[in-house]
Amino acid sequence: MTKPRVLQIGSIAGAIQANAALRENYDVIALWEAQDRQACLEAAKDVEVIITTARYGCPSDVILALPSLKAICSWGVGYDLIDLELLKQRNVQLSTTPDVLNDCVADEAWALLMASARHIVQGDQMVRANDWENGTRTLPLGTRVAGKKLGILGLGRIGQAIAKRSHGFDMEVRYHNRNPRNDVPYEYSKTLLELAQWADFLVIASVGGEETRGIVSREVLRALGPKGIVVNIARGSVIDEQGMIELLQSGELGGAGLDVFEHEPRVPDALKQMPQVVLMPHVASATYETRQDMETLLLENLRAYFAGEGLVTPLSLNNV
Ligand code: 8YV
């Protein structure tokens, strides 16, 4: 039996065996390996499905070059690097890997919050450097997390998993979204500024892309205050990064736990030098179990598409 042809945008880094499984089941045209991109796209003219990841997205010229394109199957949940308007115009569907990563991303948001509030990284470094044993350094006092006010920007599936974890910490939760939800017990803040003024900690779990670019502005971060901590597991573009750096330097913002950056994998040197900041290399979903589940869901979307059953987890393009 001939294998269905698919175009893959990039190698799936951080997966377990997705790349091998794709090659085993599909005739994969590897765009990232092509010497001649145009010739590769020409060879892919009859392809109905593109495989990509949240990190690569899909360049619009690739979508436009494939007249037979019907679906893009992406590994991950972010779709900020795909032009959804273009997909609508071309009647192309998009599947992502929702839900399976909610818990691990929420766990990492909490790890960043706790690490930042309790100086976990600094404490670890102090012990390793024998500064504790030798009495050459003391750790600054941390910030209490339990009982505090947690603000969440973006109360989608990941935002709700973050909120759920706060129940064990006796925290009050409020959120800001495009629209208030009627299915959650948390109070809605009409503006992000209002949320930041109220909150001790602000966790960003919104979508990326143009609609949220820079909305966690200097003004919002200043409102969070000198004891406030911002945590970002969404997209670096959501925060005014330069504004955040300057407020952290001046002490007008207390701390930050960041998994994502505006120009990642480049991270501003200023952030690397700040002890009140905890940095991670965009790995919130990177556990063995979650990456396995993301892989299974990607493969299941492909199988179902080619079996004529339709995508398993299509994104509803009308609601985004
Ligand atoms: C991945 C992500 O680490 O799903 C997303 O949107 O950002 C992460 O889960 C990665 O970007 C997948 O390529």
Side-chain angles (χ1 to χ4, degrees), residues 137-263:
R137 199 175 136 197
T138 46
L139 198 62
L141 293 177
T143 300
R144 180 189 288 168
V145 172
K148 291 284 182 66
K149 296 172 185 158
L150 178 66
I152 300 178
L153 170 62
L155 201 70
R157 305 181 232 227
I158 294 171
Q160 287 181 72
I162 292 166
K164 186 172 154 193
R165 282 155 178 70
S166 75
H167 299 174
F169 287 81
D170 302 321
M171 294 171 99
E172 197 185 329
V173 177
R174 290 188 192 175
Y175 70 101
H176 177 70
N177 252 4
R178 270 172 294 196
N179 299 305
R181 304 186 65 115
N182 54 19
D183 57 350
V184 295
Y186 315 115
E187 194 171 309
Y188 177 70
S189 295
K190 280 197 202 65
T191 66
L192 178 53
L193 185 60
E194 195 179 298
L195 183 67
Q197 278 160 347
W198 169 83
D200 296 302
F201 311 124
L202 178 67
V203 180
I204 303 170
S206 66
V207 295
E210 286 317 306
E211 77 179 283
T212 56
R213 186 172 299 281
I215 62 170
V216 180
S217 61
R218 205 178 275 261
E219 191 188 13
V220 165
L221 293 169
R222 193 176 278 121
L224 197 55
K227 289 198 161 39
I229 294 172
V230 64
V231 170
N232 192 3
I233 46 76
R235 287 294 180 263
S237 57
V238 183
I239 299 188
D240 169 356
E241 198 168 78
Q242 188 50 37
M244 174 179 70
I245 290 170
E246 287 169 25
L247 292 171
L248 284 163
Q249 280 167 335
S250 67
E252 288 165 276
L253 174 64
L258 307 168
D259 183 59
V260 287
F261 304 87
E262 203 172 342
H263 304 292

Side-chain angles (χ1 to χ4, degrees), residues 53-56 75-78 101 234-235 282-285 291 294:
T53 71
R55 178 177 154 207
Y56 302 128
W75 184 79
V77 286
L101 44 65
R235 287 294 180 263
H282 197 153
V283 285
S285 68
R291 288 290 167 86
M294 289 164 66

Side-chain angles (χ1 to χ4, degrees), residues 122-138:
Q122 285 183 71
D124 178 87
Q125 285 162 352
M126 188 182 135
V127 175
R128 286 169 200 260
N130 293 327
D131 282 335
W132 187 31
E133 261 172 70
N134 298 334
T136 37
R137 199 175 136 197
T138 46

